[in-house]
Amino acid sequence: MDKKRATHNLEFNVSQILKEGTGATRLYEVEAEQVRGLDSTAVLVSPLIGQVKFLCTGRSVLVTSFLEGTIEKSCGRCLETFTAPITIELEEEFFPSLDIVSGVALAEPTEVDEANQIDEQHILDLHEVVRQEFWLVSDTVLYCRSDCKGLCPHCGKDLNIESCNCKNEVINWRWAGLLEIESKE
Ligand SMILES: [Zn+2]
Ligand SMILES: [Zn+2]
C-alpha cells in the first residue's frame, strides 16, 4: 500500500498506476470544494473530504471512496433551511480508452457508462459518479429532524414553534363519523 498522497480534487492522472499494472494501488486524500454539474435540491456547503483508493485490476481501475460533506436544503415538512451531514461511498470500475503502453484505442466494453471511462489523457474523473451518488444520498435527507412537526396545512403555522387549534377542528369534521363508530365498538 502506497503512502497517502497530497490532497486532491476529483480528477486523477492514472497513467502511472496503469503502467504499473495489475495489483498497483494508490491512496489519495480528497478535498473537493464543488462537484461539477450538481443541480440537486441540496446544496453542498462544505468541501467533500475523504479518501479515494485506486486498485489496478489489469483491465480497469477499481475506485473505492468514502467522502463526507455537509448539505443544505429545505425541510420537506416545515420548509426551513437546514444543514445535514452526508457520506458518499463509491465502488466503481473505470476503464481506459487507450492502451497505456501502445497508445492504441481500446474497444469500449459495451456495458461501460461514459462516466466510468478514463479519457485519452489518462484522466480519471470522479465528478459524474460523485454527482450521481450525491443526488441519491441527498434525496434521502428529507426533514430538518426526524420529528419535525411541519406546518399546519390549514393555518400555515410552524408547529415546531407554536401550536394551533386547527387540529381539533379537522379531526371533528373529517373523523367525527369514524370516531363515533369506534366508540360504539
Ligand atoms: Zn422541518
Ligand atoms: Zn393550524
Side-chain angles (χ1 to χ4, degrees):
M1 171 67 67
D2 269 15
K3 282 241 163 72
K4 283 176 193 172
R5 301 298 170 104
T7 303
H8 225 278
N9 210 308
L10 293 173
E11 288 174 23
F12 305 82
N13 188 316
V14 292
S15 57
Q16 207 52 45
I17 187 174
L18 287 170
K19 277 179 192 155
E20 288 170 27
T22 309
T25 61
R26 291 289 187 283
L27 182 62
Y28 294 102
E29 297 285 319
V30 165
E31 182 170 342
E33 292 283 339
Q34 263 309 331
V35 181
R36 196 169 57 230
L38 218 57
D39 59 346
S40 171
T41 52
V43 179
L44 184 64
V45 291
S46 77
L48 284 176
I49 294 177
Q51 292 187 338
V52 173
K53 190 182 157 194
F54 294 151
L55 168 67
C56 185
T57 70
R59 68 163 195 162
S60 69
V61 176
L62 179 66
V63 178
T64 49
S65 179
F66 186 88
L67 304 170
E68 292 178 295
T70 305
I71 58 167
E72 185 179 273
K73 64 188 294 188
S74 75
C75 176
R77 286 190 189 130
C78 71
L79 310 181
E80 286 294 318
T81 300
F82 68 99
T83 59
I86 56 160
T87 59
I88 292 181
E89 287 181 74
L90 301 175
E91 188 174 311
E92 297 272 343
E93 217 176 345
F94 281 73
F95 295 85
S97 45
L98 296 179
D99 182 278
I100 193 65
V101 180
S102 66
V104 172
L106 296 167
E108 289 176 22
T110 45
E111 77 279 12
V112 174
D113 196 288
E114 205 182 319
N116 294 59
Q117 202 85 52
I118 299 165
D119 76 9
E120 297 185 351
Q121 279 72 49
H122 313 298
I123 301 299
L124 189 158
D125 185 348
L126 289 177
H127 278 98
E128 181 56 20
V129 292
V130 169
R131 189 191 70 80
Q132 289 173 11
E133 192 62 21
F134 180 94
W135 189 78
L136 287 176
V137 170
S138 63
D139 242 35
T140 65
V141 181
L142 299 175
Y143 310 119
C144 62
R145 53 178 210 246
S146 60
D147 65 346
C148 173
K149 296 191 181 81
L151 303 179
C152 170
H154 303 282
C155 69
K157 277 183 182 157
D158 185 340
L159 300 176
N160 297 308
I161 298 168
E162 54 186 333
S163 55
C164 65
N165 294 318
C166 303
K167 207 174 172 185
N168 294 334
E169 289 164 25
V170 172
I171 284 179
N172 286 345
W173 85 227
R174 197 182 288 167
W175 300 113
L178 194 66
L179 289 173
E180 229 164 71
I181 294 163
E182 277 181 356
S183 61
K184 277 178 192 160
E185 281 172 356

